[in-house]
Amino acid sequence: KAGVTQTPRYLIKTRGQQVTLSCSPISGHRSVSWYQQTPGQGLQFLFEYFSETQRNKGNFPGRFSGRQFSNSRSEMNVSTLELGDSALYLCASTLTSGGFYEQYFGPGTRLTVT
Amino acid sequence: AQSVAQPEDQVNVAEGNPLTVKCTYSVSGNPYLFWYVQYPNRGLQFLLKYITGDNLVKGSYGFEAEFNKSQTSFHLKKPSALVSDSALYFCAVRVDGGATNKLIFGTGTLLAVQP
């Protein structure tokens, strides 16, 4: 089956602009989580969506937002970009069913803010 | 607070030798534990997980990990290292309690396998 897909793979934006990243989970997975990876802070949890509802949020400013659609695809948006937002943004797709659990990551979107 | 520690920033091993990448965790309740590998400019690739059952978990590419509840550890091992195993390895724990799939990650360990 197809894996987690993220678009675009690479993005260059200017400080002050806004950006939208997209994540399509594995078919049947209803949970999508987003992470930011930077050399200094490592992997940090942004938020999680399940059945179109945000059910957990990390410690990031309100400039970071997200949503999930009825087909489980998710988008995250960063407004008023800052240089420090340059990072690899990873999306994770999760399926839990009874005692079964699997979580897979997409290839990431590399965002560079200049 | 929930946390994961990977005490070694880098592990060096000769090809053909066994390797161990260490991970300890601190969570309330029963942990779900994971190992992921990341190659340069790539996403995280799933290696293995422990949820319940046998403490020795076998995963992809010949890797295995042993869950040790008393030592709160989940070390990654491989009997014979390959140069192609050189990558960044992350241990992660799922936060227990409540309906969330949030993972807490360790800081990562760079594995360097010399030919």
Side-chain angles (χ1 to χ4, degrees):
Chain A
K1 56 184 176 182
V4 181
T5 57
Q6 291 188 244
T7 57
R9 292 292 311 280
Y10 301 92
L11 208 47
I12 299 175
K13 290 286 188 178
T14 303
R15 194 170 49 183
Q17 289 186 316
Q18 68 95 25
V19 67
T20 299
L21 311 181
S22 180
C23 172
S24 292
I26 293 170
S27 177
H29 289 201
R30 295 165 62 193
S31 166
V32 174
S33 303
W34 289 89
Y35 294 83
Q36 181 196 64
Q37 184 179 22
T38 60
Q41 299 299 317
L43 282 152
Q44 293 188 291
F45 173 78
L46 280 157
F47 28 65
E48 179 193 4
Y49 287 87
F50 181 83
S51 293
E52 303 179 64
T53 301
Q54 186 184 90
R55 66 178 184 182
N56 206 343
K57 190 178 190 305
N59 188 26
F60 278 82
R63 301 185 296 106
F64 291 81
S65 63
R67 59 178 175 169
Q68 186 180 35
F69 301 94
S70 59
N71 62 357
S72 293
R73 188 178 71 86
S74 177
E75 290 181 346
M76 67 163 282
N77 183 277
V78 188
S79 62
T80 320
L81 284 165
E82 300 178 359
L83 296 178
D85 297 333
S86 295
L88 180 66
Y89 290 87
L90 294 164
C91 162
S93 162
T94 306
L95 171 66
T96 57
S97 178
F100 182 80
Y101 185 94
E102 65 177 14
Q103 180 165 137
Y104 293 95
F105 282 79
T109 294
R110 172 74 63 183
L111 172 64
T112 302
V113 182
T114 62
Chain B
Q2 328 268 9
S3 64
V4 176
Q6 292 182 243
E8 302 154 318
D9 290 336
Q10 183 162 336
V11 169
N12 298 304
V13 63
E15 187 174 32
N17 283 0
L19 69 88
T20 298
V21 182
K22 296 179 181 177
C23 171
T24 59
Y25 64 91
S26 174
V27 298
S28 56
N30 297 318
Y32 287 19
L33 293 157
F34 304 84
W35 276 102
Y36 289 89
V37 60
Q38 186 176 38
Y39 294 95
N41 299 313
R42 303 286 291 275
L44 297 178
Q45 187 173 331
F46 172 80
L47 279 179
L48 50 79
K49 67 176 184 275
Y50 172 83
I51 295 176
T52 187
D54 194 351
N55 289 344
L56 183 63
V57 178
K58 294 189 181 296
S60 306
Y61 313 117
F63 284 94
E64 59 187 29
E66 185 165 13
F67 171 65
N68 188 317
K69 189 173 183 177
S70 63
Q71 297 186 3
T72 61
S73 67
F74 190 57
H75 301 331
L76 181 70
K77 300 183 179 186
K78 187 173 182 182
S80 178
L82 299 172
V83 171
S84 57
D85 292 330
S86 298
L88 187 57
Y89 290 79
F90 289 96
C91 179
V93 63
R94 180 191 182 202
V95 177
D96 195 24
T100 177
N101 293 310
K102 172 183 176 180
L103 293 181
I104 294 177
F105 285 88
T107 51
T109 298
L110 184 64
L111 174 66
V113 182
Q114 284 88 33

